[in-house]
Structures are given as C-alpha cells and as structure tokens.
Amino acid sequence: MRLHIRAAAAAVAALAFLYVFSLPAAAQRPRTAGPGQKVGILEPGGPAPRASDGHPDLTGMWWPNRTGIPHAENTGADVDRAALRQFDPAKTPEAPPVFLPEAAAKMKALNATQRELSKLSVNCIPRGLPAIWLSNTYAVQLVQTPGLLVQLIEVLNNFRIIHTDGRPHPKYPEPLYHGNPSAKWEGDTLVIDSIGFDPSTFVSNNGSWFHSDELRVIERISRPSRNYLQIQITVEDPKVLARPWTSAPRHWTLVEGEDVHEYYCTNNPDVDEFQKLDSQGK
Amino acid sequence: MKSRVSGAAAIACGVAWLAAPLFAHHSVASEFDTKNCRDFTGTLTSVSWENPHMHFNLDIKDAGGKVESWTFQGYSTLTMTRAGSPRQDFMENMGKEVWVRGCLARSGTTHKAAAGTLKFADGRLRQVGQLQDNGN
C-alpha cells in the first residue's frame, strides 16, 4: 500500500514538473527591468512553436531589440548596449544603401531640421513599409492563422492583413503605405513580396531615403527560436538605388503577457517647433 | 559600362545608418538644446497623457519671486508606463513639489523644456524623457 502511495506521489510530481515546463508562452512570467537590474541579451528559449498547418507560428508581441523587455533602457536598469541592437554588426554586418548620384544629391540638400520635418513620424503619419520594420521603436503583434498573418502595429494604431497563400499582386496596385503584398512560405520562412507604395513614404524613418514608383520590398520573416523573430528586408528601387539593398537579419524579441497598447497622436507640438527652427535657419 | 555611383554618394548616405539603437518619434536633441539645461523645482499643476509625448506643467518661481507656468515634454505614454512612471504617479503628486532636469527649446520658445530626469517627493530618480543632457 505504502509503495502505491509513493508511486502515485512520484507520478503527480512528475506530471507537475512536466506541466510547469510545458506552459504555453502566454502563461510564462513576463520579464521585467528596474533600477540597477542587469539586462542582457535574451536567451533563445528553445524551439519555435508550430501552427496547426505545420508552419512556424509567428504569433506573439515582438519588441525591436534583443532585451525582450519593452523600454528596459528607460527604467534605470543596467542594460547591455548589445541587447539594444537588433543584430551584431561584427557577426552580420549591414552594408549601407548605395544611392544613384541624383538621389544622393537630393538627400544631401536637406539640413538636419528639414530632415526632421520630413520624417513621417514627426508628422504623426504612419511610417509605412519597410520603415515599420527598419525604424520602429514600438511593439508589433502578429496573429497567425492558416493562410493569414495579421500584423498589429502599436505606433499610430496601424495594421496589415497578409494572405499567405501566394495569391498574386493585384493587376493595378493602388499606392498604399504598406504596399500590396503577395506572400508564401518558403520552408520555415514567410516571404512577403510587396509593390505599389504611397509616394510620400520613406524606406527608413530618417526623413531622406525617399523611393520611386518602382519600389519593391521583400520581407523574409522567420522564428529561429521561441523567443526570437527574425526579419530580413530587401529593397529594390532602380530609380533610386544603384543596386538592391538587403538588411542584416534583424531580431525582435518575444514579450510575455502583454499586448500592443493604444497610441494615437493627438498632441504634437514638434512640427511647429521644427518649422520655427527652419525659419530661423537653424 | 561605367558605374553611375560615386563612392562619395555611397559613403555620405551611409552615415547614421548601420546598427545604432533605434530612436523614437524624432531626435529630441534636434529640437532642444543639450547645452542649455537647468534644474527646475516647482509645483505640479497638470499632466497631459497624450502622444507622441506626455507633458506636465509646473508652477515655478523666478528670481524675483514671480510664479510662471512651465511645460515639460516627456516620453510617450507607453514608454512612461512601461518604464515605471504611469500617469497615476503624476496624479498622486499633483500640487506637490517636483524636481526636474530639463533642456530648453533651440527655437527660443519660452517656458518650455524637454524633461530628462525627475524626482517626486519620494526622492526616487526617474528617467522621464529621452534627453540626456551633457551636464552644461
């Protein structure tokens, strides 16, 4: 009888152990940061989860650096500078874009204040694609179902709806901030090929890298491990770039137990200030 | 065929690229003067919890004893809340004395500053704005 009780107790303990270590992502404890706390690069966290259709599941709220903690550097924590970067330039260097001379001249004509005034973010206008990946300091949340990926973009409350069944681009694509996507899985990587962009967007939110009507953006999105989302962007624009530009594989980290928040831009005095500076020749 | 790209063009436009940590809405140092920063002490009179920046107002006595209202710009509301300074902290300190390190507007706009660090009555130093002044 006593042996049976011991065996049962051991079985319960084993089941409890398995339960605790197999909790789904949403049930795990969020990472936090505070004054004096050391924050380094988030560990890989084991294999990426799979969706019901066998593809990697990209679902989660993702943060644009390698801390896994939103705004860790603003909490007074001792944050490793390397963790604030999306990639290690020593391991995966990212070459700067090479512009055609006339495009470069147009960009150089702007002074620092004029570049600030040109930034869509300063004007509370959505960054568009691919700046939303390349120049975004806030979270994105991905929701994946078979054949569909929904991207919720925290800053300025934007969204993208991407069908992942390989359907072609529209015959007459309209100019859109996030372009017109055609997406399909290539192995464990989701490849999104987009054309047709609003002429007012910039490739990067630096107020100068403009684009032409021939802009094409290819996103390669994968989840190399549970805690990491990897994005690599290729930009083709033969009227602006001397050759296509490809980013380093940039990393976003999983944030546990949090959703994107509301962010409407309703009180923005910065444009007036920059216009004042511009009129002063500063 | 000769390349249409000059080396100078490639280099000039690569400046400020690469893997630098990302900055938010805009470059605060382009709007505020990091060489013109001061300590401010005053009474908290209001807080605006909006984006792209939260703002708060202090009543501050000038050298002659006259009380003037100053507006301070902080992080976005999301950054404030996630970094440990939610709106409620400001509400609980309304009417109380607050210390702020702030830098003045480059444009010369008066009674306005970008906040860097802040202390409520509890004495804890908080980072409430992007600006890291250079000690001047």
Side-chain angles (χ1 to χ4, degrees), chain A residues 74 85 94 101-102 121 137-138 154 242 258 266 270 273 276 280 282, chain B residues 4-5 18-19 22-23 25 31 50-51 53 75-76 79 82 106-107 109:
Chain A
N74 306 123
R85 298 179 186 277
E94 183 174 88
E102 52 268 40
S121 64
T137 56
Y138 292 96
E154 187 165 64
E258 198 174 336
T266 50
D270 300 318
E273 278 296 305
K276 196 171 172 182
Q280 294 169 348
K282 292 183 179 173
Chain B
R4 298 174 63 203
V5 183
L18 297 178
L22 299 170
F23 290 104
H25 169 65
E31 185 178 342
E50 293 182 82
N51 286 309
H53 308 285
Y75 288 129
S76 74
T79 308
R82 286 172 172 156
R106 285 181 61 222
S107 68
T109 297

PDB file of all heavy atoms in Angstrom, chain A residues 74 85 94 101-102 121 137-138 154 242 258 266 270 273 276 280 282, chain B residues 4-5 18-19 22-23 25 31 50-51 53 75-76 79 82 106-107 109:
ATOM      1  N   ASN A  74      14.861  52.567 -20.258  1.00  0.00           N
ATOM      2  CA  ASN A  74      14.271  53.753 -19.644  1.00  0.00           C
ATOM      3  C   ASN A  74      13.869  53.524 -18.187  1.00  0.00           C
ATOM      4  O   ASN A  74      13.246  54.388 -17.572  1.00  0.00           O
ATOM      5  CB  ASN A  74      13.025  54.194 -20.438  1.00  0.00           C
ATOM      6  CG  ASN A  74      13.318  54.395 -21.915  1.00  0.00           C
ATOM      7  OD1 ASN A  74      12.693  53.770 -22.761  1.00  0.00           O
ATOM      8  ND2 ASN A  74      14.283  55.222 -22.216  1.00  0.00           N
ATOM      9  N   ARG A  85      20.565  46.469 -29.639  1.00  0.00           N
ATOM     10  CA  ARG A  85      20.684  46.392 -31.097  1.00  0.00           C
ATOM     11  C   ARG A  85      19.908  45.179 -31.613  1.00  0.00           C
ATOM     12  O   ARG A  85      19.784  44.183 -30.914  1.00  0.00           O
ATOM     13  CB  ARG A  85      22.149  46.257 -31.507  1.00  0.00           C
ATOM     14  CG  ARG A  85      23.013  47.440 -31.106  1.00  0.00           C
ATOM     15  CD  ARG A  85      24.454  47.198 -31.545  1.00  0.00           C
ATOM     16  NE  ARG A  85      25.358  48.229 -31.064  1.00  0.00           N
ATOM     17  CZ  ARG A  85      25.541  49.402 -31.661  1.00  0.00           C
ATOM     18  NH1 ARG A  85      24.894  49.673 -32.773  1.00  0.00           N
ATOM     19  NH2 ARG A  85      26.363  50.293 -31.168  1.00  0.00           N
ATOM     20  N   GLU A  94      25.787  45.015 -41.811  1.00  0.00           N
ATOM     21  CA  GLU A  94      24.750  45.514 -42.712  1.00  0.00           C
ATOM     22  C   GLU A  94      25.335  46.677 -43.514  1.00  0.00           C
ATOM     23  O   GLU A  94      25.635  47.732 -42.961  1.00  0.00           O
ATOM     24  CB  GLU A  94      23.542  46.001 -41.906  1.00  0.00           C
ATOM     25  CG  GLU A  94      22.387  46.478 -42.769  1.00  0.00           C
ATOM     26  CD  GLU A  94      21.174  46.814 -41.921  1.00  0.00           C
ATOM     27  OE1 GLU A  94      21.063  47.964 -41.457  1.00  0.00           O
ATOM     28  OE2 GLU A  94      20.346  45.917 -41.705  1.00  0.00           O
ATOM     29  N   PRO A 101      23.597  58.857 -57.970  1.00  0.00           N
ATOM     30  CA  PRO A 101      24.099  60.199 -57.617  1.00  0.00           C
ATOM     31  C   PRO A 101      23.009  61.250 -57.483  1.00  0.00           C
ATOM     32  O   PRO A 101      23.031  62.067 -56.559  1.00  0.00           O
ATOM     33  CB  PRO A 101      25.052  60.522 -58.771  1.00  0.00           C
ATOM     34  CG  PRO A 101      25.494  59.194 -59.285  1.00  0.00           C
ATOM     35  CD  PRO A 101      24.323  58.274 -59.116  1.00  0.00           C
ATOM     36  N   GLU A 102      22.020  61.233 -58.388  1.00  0.00           N
ATOM     37  CA  GLU A 102      20.992  62.273 -58.307  1.00  0.00           C
ATOM     38  C   GLU A 102      20.121  62.104 -57.058  1.00  0.00           C
ATOM     39  O   GLU A 102      19.684  63.078 -56.438  1.00  0.00           O
ATOM     40  CB  GLU A 102      20.125  62.289 -59.584  1.00  0.00           C
ATOM     41  CG  GLU A 102      19.538  60.955 -59.975  1.00  0.00           C
ATOM     42  CD  GLU A 102      20.411  60.163 -60.939  1.00  0.00           C
ATOM     43  OE1 GLU A 102      21.654  60.155 -60.792  1.00  0.00           O
ATOM     44  OE2 GLU A 102      19.820  59.527 -61.830  1.00  0.00           O
ATOM     45  N   SER A 121       7.235  60.192 -38.937  1.00  0.00           N
ATOM     46  CA  SER A 121       6.944  60.049 -37.511  1.00  0.00           C
ATOM     47  C   SER A 121       6.765  61.404 -36.842  1.00  0.00           C
ATOM     48  O   SER A 121       5.901  61.575 -35.985  1.00  0.00           O
ATOM     49  CB  SER A 121       8.067  59.275 -36.820  1.00  0.00           C
ATOM     50  OG  SER A 121       9.280  59.991 -36.887  1.00  0.00           O
ATOM     51  N   THR A 137      10.329  51.946 -32.958  1.00  0.00           N
ATOM     52  CA  THR A 137      10.794  51.755 -31.579  1.00  0.00           C
ATOM     53  C   THR A 137       9.693  51.205 -30.683  1.00  0.00           C
ATOM     54  O   THR A 137       9.851  51.180 -29.468  1.00  0.00           O
ATOM     55  CB  THR A 137      11.288  53.082 -30.989  1.00  0.00           C
ATOM     56  OG1 THR A 137      10.231  54.032 -31.079  1.00  0.00           O
ATOM     57  CG2 THR A 137      12.506  53.592 -31.729  1.00  0.00           C
ATOM     58  N   TYR A 138       8.584  50.789 -31.298  1.00  0.00           N
ATOM     59  CA  TYR A 138       7.480  50.252 -30.504  1.00  0.00           C
ATOM     60  C   TYR A 138       7.163  48.830 -30.953  1.00  0.00           C
ATOM     61  O   TYR A 138       7.725  48.332 -31.933  1.00  0.00           O
ATOM     62  CB  TYR A 138       6.250  51.156 -30.622  1.00  0.00           C
ATOM     63  CG  TYR A 138       6.464  52.489 -29.950  1.00  0.00           C
ATOM     64  CD1 TYR A 138       6.877  53.595 -30.670  1.00  0.00           C
ATOM     65  CD2 TYR A 138       6.283  52.625 -28.574  1.00  0.00           C
ATOM     66  CE1 TYR A 138       7.098  54.816 -30.047  1.00  0.00           C
ATOM     67  CE2 TYR A 138       6.505  53.836 -27.943  1.00  0.00           C
ATOM     68  CZ  TYR A 138       6.908  54.931 -28.685  1.00  0.00           C
ATOM     69  OH  TYR A 138       7.134  56.125 -28.066  1.00  0.00           O
ATOM     70  N   GLU A 154       1.798  48.957 -33.148  1.00  0.00           N
ATOM     71  CA  GLU A 154       1.402  49.777 -31.995  1.00  0.00           C
ATOM     72  C   GLU A 154       1.418  51.271 -32.299  1.00  0.00           C
ATOM     73  O   GLU A 154       0.451  51.970 -32.016  1.00  0.00           O
ATOM     74  CB  GLU A 154       2.360  49.459 -30.844  1.00  0.00           C
ATOM     75  CG  GLU A 154       2.003  50.088 -29.539  1.00  0.00           C
ATOM     76  CD  GLU A 154       2.781  49.439 -28.413  1.00  0.00           C
ATOM     77  OE1 GLU A 154       4.018  49.551 -28.414  1.00  0.00           O
ATOM     78  OE2 GLU A 154       2.156  48.802 -27.550  1.00  0.00           O
ATOM     79  N   ALA A 242      21.456  52.162 -56.614  1.00  0.00           N
ATOM     80  CA  ALA A 242      22.358  51.641 -57.642  1.00  0.00           C
ATOM     81  C   ALA A 242      22.233  50.117 -57.751  1.00  0.00           C
ATOM     82  O   ALA A 242      22.454  49.541 -58.806  1.00  0.00           O
ATOM     83  CB  ALA A 242      23.788  52.016 -57.308  1.00  0.00           C
ATOM     84  N   GLU A 258       1.874  40.475 -22.666  1.00  0.00           N
ATOM     85  CA  GLU A 258       1.496  41.857 -22.953  1.00  0.00           C
ATOM     86  C   GLU A 258       0.974  41.954 -24.382  1.00  0.00           C
ATOM     87  O   GLU A 258       1.406  41.198 -25.260  1.00  0.00           O
ATOM     88  CB  GLU A 258       2.705  42.798 -22.772  1.00  0.00           C
ATOM     89  CG  GLU A 258       2.282  44.246 -22.633  1.00  0.00           C
ATOM     90  CD  GLU A 258       3.450  45.177 -22.304  1.00  0.00           C
ATOM     91  OE1 GLU A 258       4.465  44.731 -21.756  1.00  0.00           O
ATOM     92  OE2 GLU A 258       3.329  46.367 -22.621  1.00  0.00           O
ATOM     93  N   THR A 266      -2.229  62.766 -30.668  1.00  0.00           N
ATOM     94  CA  THR A 266      -3.258  63.795 -30.525  1.00  0.00           C
ATOM     95  C   THR A 266      -2.736  65.128 -30.015  1.00  0.00           C
ATOM     96  O   THR A 266      -3.492  66.085 -29.920  1.00  0.00           O
ATOM     97  CB  THR A 266      -4.349  63.291 -29.547  1.00  0.00           C
ATOM     98  OG1 THR A 266      -3.708  62.810 -28.359  1.00  0.00           O
ATOM     99  CG2 THR A 266      -5.168  62.188 -30.181  1.00  0.00           C
ATOM    100  N   ASP A 270       5.691  69.292 -32.028  1.00  0.00           N
ATOM    101  CA  ASP A 270       7.029  69.243 -32.620  1.00  0.00           C
ATOM    102  C   ASP A 270       7.104  69.881 -34.003  1.00  0.00           C
ATOM    103  O   ASP A 270       8.109  70.505 -34.344  1.00  0.00           O
ATOM    104  CB  ASP A 270       7.516  67.794 -32.706  1.00  0.00           C
ATOM    105  CG  ASP A 270       7.590  67.162 -31.341  1.00  0.00           C
ATOM    106  OD1 ASP A 270       8.042  67.831 -30.408  1.00  0.00           O
ATOM    107  OD2 ASP A 270       7.169  66.001 -31.197  1.00  0.00           O
ATOM    108  N   GLU A 273       7.576  73.532 -33.762  1.00  0.00           N
ATOM    109  CA  GLU A 273       8.928  73.858 -33.298  1.00  0.00           C
ATOM    110  C   GLU A 273       9.947  73.727 -34.429  1.00  0.00           C
ATOM    111  O   GLU A 273      10.812  74.590 -34.606  1.00  0.00           O
ATOM    112  CB  GLU A 273       9.324  72.930 -32.140  1.00  0.00           C
ATOM    113  CG  GLU A 273       8.791  73.354 -30.799  1.00  0.00           C
ATOM    114  CD  GLU A 273       9.342  74.700 -30.328  1.00  0.00           C
ATOM    115  OE1 GLU A 273      10.567  74.866 -30.269  1.00  0.00           O
ATOM    116  OE2 GLU A 273       8.517  75.591 -30.044  1.00  0.00           O
ATOM    117  N   LYS A 276       9.592  76.507 -36.880  1.00  0.00           N
ATOM    118  CA  LYS A 276      10.177  77.726 -36.303  1.00  0.00           C
ATOM    119  C   LYS A 276      11.700  77.708 -36.463  1.00  0.00           C
ATOM    120  O   LYS A 276      12.312  78.700 -36.876  1.00  0.00           O
ATOM    121  CB  LYS A 276       9.796  77.798 -34.820  1.00  0.00           C
ATOM    122  CG  LYS A 276       9.989  79.131 -34.155  1.00  0.00           C
ATOM    123  CD  LYS A 276       9.352  79.088 -32.759  1.00  0.00           C
ATOM    124  CE  LYS A 276       9.670  80.330 -31.953  1.00  0.00           C
ATOM    125  NZ  LYS A 276       9.094  80.255 -30.586  1.00  0.00           N
ATOM    126  N   GLN A 280      14.235  80.079 -38.767  1.00  0.00           N
ATOM    127  CA  GLN A 280      15.378  80.771 -38.152  1.00  0.00           C
ATOM    128  C   GLN A 280      16.700  80.360 -38.801  1.00  0.00           C
ATOM    129  O   GLN A 280      17.765  80.819 -38.406  1.00  0.00           O
ATOM    130  CB  GLN A 280      15.436  80.444 -36.650  1.00  0.00           C
ATOM    131  CG  GLN A 280      14.258  80.987 -35.848  1.00  0.00           C
ATOM    132  CD  GLN A 280      14.199  80.419 -34.433  1.00  0.00           C
ATOM    133  OE1 GLN A 280      14.893  79.455 -34.110  1.00  0.00           O
ATOM    134  NE2 GLN A 280      13.363  81.002 -33.600  1.00  0.00           N
ATOM    135  N   LYS A 282      18.060  77.468 -38.577  1.00  0.00           N
ATOM    136  CA  LYS A 282      18.812  76.580 -37.677  1.00  0.00           C
ATOM    137  C   LYS A 282      18.686  75.131 -38.121  1.00  0.00           C
ATOM    138  O   LYS A 282      17.691  74.724 -38.662  1.00  0.00           O
ATOM    139  CB  LYS A 282      18.294  76.711 -36.246  1.00  0.00           C
ATOM    140  CG  LYS A 282      18.601  78.055 -35.616  1.00  0.00           C
ATOM    141  CD  LYS A 282      18.113  78.096 -34.168  1.00  0.00           C
ATOM    142  CE  LYS A 282      18.433  79.416 -33.507  1.00  0.00           C
ATOM    143  NZ  LYS A 282      17.817  79.541 -32.162  1.00  0.00           N
TER     144      LYS A 282
ATOM    145  N   ARG B   4      27.284  54.329 -62.369  1.00  0.00           N
ATOM    146  CA  ARG B   4      26.765  55.679 -62.158  1.00  0.00           C
ATOM    147  C   ARG B   4      26.924  56.097 -60.701  1.00  0.00           C
ATOM    148  O   ARG B   4      26.543  57.181 -60.316  1.00  0.00           O
ATOM    149  CB  ARG B   4      25.284  55.729 -62.532  1.00  0.00           C
ATOM    150  CG  ARG B   4      25.014  55.402 -63.982  1.00  0.00           C
ATOM    151  CD  ARG B   4      23.526  55.329 -64.227  1.00  0.00           C
ATOM    152  NE  ARG B   4      22.877  56.604 -63.995  1.00  0.00           N
ATOM    153  CZ  ARG B   4      21.591  56.741 -63.709  1.00  0.00           C
ATOM    154  NH1 ARG B   4      20.828  55.685 -63.602  1.00  0.00           N
ATOM    155  NH2 ARG B   4      21.062  57.936 -63.510  1.00  0.00           N
ATOM    156  N   VAL B   5      27.464  55.214 -59.915  1.00  0.00           N
ATOM    157  CA  VAL B   5      27.527  55.500 -58.485  1.00  0.00           C
ATOM    158  C   VAL B   5      28.894  56.008 -58.093  1.00  0.00           C
ATOM    159  O   VAL B   5      29.903  55.411 -58.416  1.00  0.00           O
ATOM    160  CB  VAL B   5      27.230  54.221 -57.700  1.00  0.00           C
ATOM    161  CG1 VAL B   5      27.225  54.528 -56.215  1.00  0.00           C
ATOM    162  CG2 VAL B   5      25.918  53.642 -58.136  1.00  0.00           C
ATOM    163  N   LEU B  18      23.600  51.845 -40.260  1.00  0.00           N
ATOM    164  CA  LEU B  18      24.070  50.698 -39.505  1.00  0.00           C
ATOM    165  C   LEU B  18      23.194  50.349 -38.313  1.00  0.00           C
ATOM    166  O   LEU B  18      21.998  50.563 -38.335  1.00  0.00           O
ATOM    167  CB  LEU B  18      25.529  50.905 -39.106  1.00  0.00           C
ATOM    168  CG  LEU B  18      26.466  50.995 -40.330  1.00  0.00           C
ATOM    169  CD1 LEU B  18      27.886  51.246 -39.912  1.00  0.00           C
ATOM    170  CD2 LEU B  18      26.370  49.744 -41.184  1.00  0.00           C
ATOM    171  N   ALA B  19      23.828  49.772 -37.301  1.00  0.00           N
ATOM    172  CA  ALA B  19      23.046  49.087 -36.275  1.00  0.00           C
ATOM    173  C   ALA B  19      22.820  49.894 -35.011  1.00  0.00           C
ATOM    174  O   ALA B  19      22.653  49.347 -33.945  1.00  0.00           O
ATOM    175  CB  ALA B  19      23.764  47.790 -35.918  1.00  0.00           C
ATOM    176  N   LEU B  22      17.620  52.144 -32.048  1.00  0.00           N
ATOM    177  CA  LEU B  22      16.622  52.999 -32.680  1.00  0.00           C
ATOM    178  C   LEU B  22      16.149  54.099 -31.745  1.00  0.00           C
ATOM    179  O   LEU B  22      16.070  53.906 -30.541  1.00  0.00           O
ATOM    180  CB  LEU B  22      15.417  52.145 -33.087  1.00  0.00           C
ATOM    181  CG  LEU B  22      15.698  51.028 -34.078  1.00  0.00           C
ATOM    182  CD1 LEU B  22      14.483  50.125 -34.199  1.00  0.00           C
ATOM    183  CD2 LEU B  22      16.058  51.616 -35.418  1.00  0.00           C
ATOM    184  N   PHE B  23      15.826  55.249 -32.310  1.00  0.00           N
ATOM    185  CA  PHE B  23      15.221  56.313 -31.545  1.00  0.00           C
ATOM    186  C   PHE B  23      13.760  56.461 -31.960  1.00  0.00           C
ATOM    187  O   PHE B  23      13.347  56.013 -33.017  1.00  0.00           O
ATOM    188  CB  PHE B  23      15.975  57.626 -31.736  1.00  0.00           C
ATOM    189  CG  PHE B  23      17.330  57.596 -31.094  1.00  0.00           C
ATOM    190  CD1 PHE B  23      18.473  57.445 -31.856  1.00  0.00           C
ATOM    191  CD2 PHE B  23      17.443  57.664 -29.720  1.00  0.00           C
ATOM    192  CE1 PHE B  23      19.713  57.391 -31.247  1.00  0.00           C
ATOM    193  CE2 PHE B  23      18.681  57.603 -29.106  1.00  0.00           C
ATOM    194  CZ  PHE B  23      19.824  57.470 -29.869  1.00  0.00           C
ATOM    195  N   HIS B  25       9.998  58.783 -32.042  1.00  0.00           N
ATOM    196  CA  HIS B  25       9.298  59.774 -32.857  1.00  0.00           C
ATOM    197  C   HIS B  25      10.242  60.749 -33.582  1.00  0.00           C
ATOM    198  O   HIS B  25      10.128  60.971 -34.772  1.00  0.00           O
ATOM    199  CB  HIS B  25       8.372  60.495 -31.891  1.00  0.00           C
ATOM    200  CG  HIS B  25       7.717  61.718 -32.355  1.00  0.00           C
ATOM    201  ND1 HIS B  25       6.803  61.729 -33.377  1.00  0.00           N
ATOM    202  CD2 HIS B  25       7.820  63.001 -31.925  1.00  0.00           C
ATOM    203  CE1 HIS B  25       6.368  62.958 -33.542  1.00  0.00           C
ATOM    204  NE2 HIS B  25       6.966  63.745 -32.680  1.00  0.00           N
ATOM    205  N   GLU B  31      15.602  69.308 -31.424  1.00  0.00           N
ATOM    206  CA  GLU B  31      14.578  70.291 -31.054  1.00  0.00           C
ATOM    207  C   GLU B  31      14.944  71.046 -29.771  1.00  0.00           C
ATOM    208  O   GLU B  31      14.551  72.192 -29.597  1.00  0.00           O
ATOM    209  CB  GLU B  31      13.233  69.571 -30.880  1.00  0.00           C
ATOM    210  CG  GLU B  31      12.066  70.506 -30.603  1.00  0.00           C
ATOM    211  CD  GLU B  31      10.743  69.768 -30.480  1.00  0.00           C
ATOM    212  OE1 GLU B  31      10.651  68.599 -30.927  1.00  0.00           O
ATOM    213  OE2 GLU B  31       9.797  70.348 -29.922  1.00  0.00           O
ATOM    214  N   GLU B  50      -0.985  62.264 -23.429  1.00  0.00           N
ATOM    215  CA  GLU B  50      -1.240  62.099 -24.864  1.00  0.00           C
ATOM    216  C   GLU B  50       0.072  61.782 -25.561  1.00  0.00           C
ATOM    217  O   GLU B  50       1.147  61.878 -24.967  1.00  0.00           O
ATOM    218  CB  GLU B  50      -1.833  63.392 -25.449  1.00  0.00           C
ATOM    219  CG  GLU B  50      -3.230  63.722 -24.928  1.00  0.00           C
ATOM    220  CD  GLU B  50      -3.783  64.982 -25.570  1.00  0.00           C
ATOM    221  OE1 GLU B  50      -4.313  64.892 -26.690  1.00  0.00           O
ATOM    222  OE2 GLU B  50      -3.671  66.066 -24.960  1.00  0.00           O
ATOM    223  N   ASN B  51      -0.043  61.467 -26.842  1.00  0.00           N
ATOM    224  CA  ASN B  51       1.142  61.128 -27.648  1.00  0.00           C
ATOM    225  C   ASN B  51       1.286  62.092 -28.814  1.00  0.00           C
ATOM    226  O   ASN B  51       0.305  62.712 -29.208  1.00  0.00           O
ATOM    227  CB  ASN B  51       1.007  59.692 -28.158  1.00  0.00           C
ATOM    228  CG  ASN B  51       1.242  58.711 -27.035  1.00  0.00           C
ATOM    229  OD1 ASN B  51       2.228  58.792 -26.322  1.00  0.00           O
ATOM    230  ND2 ASN B  51       0.307  57.789 -26.850  1.00  0.00           N
ATOM    231  N   HIS B  53       4.102  62.672 -27.135  1.00  0.00           N
ATOM    232  CA  HIS B  53       4.788  62.890 -25.859  1.00  0.00           C
ATOM    233  C   HIS B  53       3.765  63.228 -24.796  1.00  0.00           C
ATOM    234  O   HIS B  53       2.802  63.944 -25.070  1.00  0.00           O
ATOM    235  CB  HIS B  53       5.751  64.089 -25.939  1.00  0.00           C
ATOM    236  CG  HIS B  53       6.706  64.056 -27.073  1.00  0.00           C
ATOM    237  ND1 HIS B  53       7.804  63.239 -27.100  1.00  0.00           N
ATOM    238  CD2 HIS B  53       6.728  64.730 -28.248  1.00  0.00           C
ATOM    239  CE1 HIS B  53       8.454  63.426 -28.228  1.00  0.00           C
ATOM    240  NE2 HIS B  53       7.823  64.315 -28.952  1.00  0.00           N
ATOM    241  N   TYR B  75       8.565  61.364 -22.348  1.00  0.00           N
ATOM    242  CA  TYR B  75       8.437  60.251 -23.299  1.00  0.00           C
ATOM    243  C   TYR B  75       6.989  60.130 -23.778  1.00  0.00           C
ATOM    244  O   TYR B  75       6.095  60.824 -23.301  1.00  0.00           O
ATOM    245  CB  TYR B  75       8.772  58.938 -22.601  1.00  0.00           C
ATOM    246  CG  TYR B  75      10.216  58.696 -22.263  1.00  0.00           C
ATOM    247  CD1 TYR B  75      10.575  58.319 -20.967  1.00  0.00           C
ATOM    248  CD2 TYR B  75      11.215  58.763 -23.216  1.00  0.00           C
ATOM    249  CE1 TYR B  75      11.883  58.041 -20.630  1.00  0.00           C
ATOM    250  CE2 TYR B  75      12.541  58.490 -22.889  1.00  0.00           C
ATOM    251  CZ  TYR B  75      12.867  58.128 -21.596  1.00  0.00           C
ATOM    252  OH  TYR B  75      14.161  57.862 -21.272  1.00  0.00           O
ATOM    253  N   SER B  76       6.751  59.167 -24.642  1.00  0.00           N
ATOM    254  CA  SER B  76       5.379  58.800 -24.987  1.00  0.00           C
ATOM    255  C   SER B  76       4.732  58.158 -23.759  1.00  0.00           C
ATOM    256  O   SER B  76       5.416  57.727 -22.820  1.00  0.00           O
ATOM    257  CB  SER B  76       5.375  57.810 -26.150  1.00  0.00           C
ATOM    258  OG  SER B  76       5.804  56.530 -25.699  1.00  0.00           O
ATOM    259  N   THR B  79       5.942  54.543 -23.171  1.00  0.00           N
ATOM    260  CA  THR B  79       7.263  54.433 -22.558  1.00  0.00           C
ATOM    261  C   THR B  79       7.176  54.758 -21.073  1.00  0.00           C
ATOM    262  O   THR B  79       7.767  54.073 -20.233  1.00  0.00           O
ATOM    263  CB  THR B  79       8.262  55.375 -23.255  1.00  0.00           C
ATOM    264  OG1 THR B  79       8.212  55.142 -24.659  1.00  0.00           O
ATOM    265  CG2 THR B  79       9.674  55.141 -22.761  1.00  0.00           C
ATOM    266  N   ARG B  82       5.470  51.784 -19.240  1.00  0.00           N
ATOM    267  CA  ARG B  82       6.276  50.564 -19.213  1.00  0.00           C
ATOM    268  C   ARG B  82       7.574  50.754 -18.430  1.00  0.00           C
ATOM    269  O   ARG B  82       8.114  49.793 -17.895  1.00  0.00           O
ATOM    270  CB  ARG B  82       6.593  50.133 -20.650  1.00  0.00           C
ATOM    271  CG  ARG B  82       5.404  49.521 -21.362  1.00  0.00           C
ATOM    272  CD  ARG B  82       5.715  49.307 -22.819  1.00  0.00           C
ATOM    273  NE  ARG B  82       4.667  48.555 -23.492  1.00  0.00           N
ATOM    274  CZ  ARG B  82       4.439  48.612 -24.795  1.00  0.00           C
ATOM    275  NH1 ARG B  82       5.198  49.380 -25.568  1.00  0.00           N
ATOM    276  NH2 ARG B  82       3.479  47.903 -25.335  1.00  0.00           N
ATOM    277  N   ARG B 106      15.527  74.852 -28.639  1.00  0.00           N
ATOM    278  CA  ARG B 106      16.505  75.521 -29.506  1.00  0.00           C
ATOM    279  C   ARG B 106      15.899  76.730 -30.204  1.00  0.00           C
ATOM    280  O   ARG B 106      16.592  77.670 -30.576  1.00  0.00           O
ATOM    281  CB  ARG B 106      17.017  74.544 -30.579  1.00  0.00           C
ATOM    282  CG  ARG B 106      17.995  73.495 -30.066  1.00  0.00           C
ATOM    283  CD  ARG B 106      18.460  72.603 -31.214  1.00  0.00           C
ATOM    284  NE  ARG B 106      19.146  73.368 -32.239  1.00  0.00           N
ATOM    285  CZ  ARG B 106      18.988  73.209 -33.549  1.00  0.00           C
ATOM    286  NH1 ARG B 106      18.155  72.297 -34.010  1.00  0.00           N
ATOM    287  NH2 ARG B 106      19.653  73.941 -34.409  1.00  0.00           N
ATOM    288  N   SER B 107      14.601  76.713 -30.406  1.00  0.00           N
ATOM    289  CA  SER B 107      13.940  77.790 -31.151  1.00  0.00           C
ATOM    290  C   SER B 107      13.800  79.058 -30.332  1.00  0.00           C
ATOM    291  O   SER B 107      13.454  80.105 -30.878  1.00  0.00           O
ATOM    292  CB  SER B 107      12.544  77.324 -31.564  1.00  0.00           C
ATOM    293  OG  SER B 107      11.739  77.180 -30.406  1.00  0.00           O
ATOM    294  N   THR B 109      11.575  79.231 -27.889  1.00  0.00           N
ATOM    295  CA  THR B 109      10.251  79.178 -27.268  1.00  0.00           C
ATOM    296  C   THR B 109      10.420  79.189 -25.751  1.00  0.00           C
ATOM    297  O   THR B 109      11.206  78.418 -25.209  1.00  0.00           O
ATOM    298  CB  THR B 109       9.503  77.898 -27.709  1.00  0.00           C
ATOM    299  OG1 THR B 109       9.295  77.961 -29.121  1.00  0.00           O
ATOM    300  CG2 THR B 109       8.158  77.776 -27.005  1.00  0.00           C
TER     301      THR B 109
END
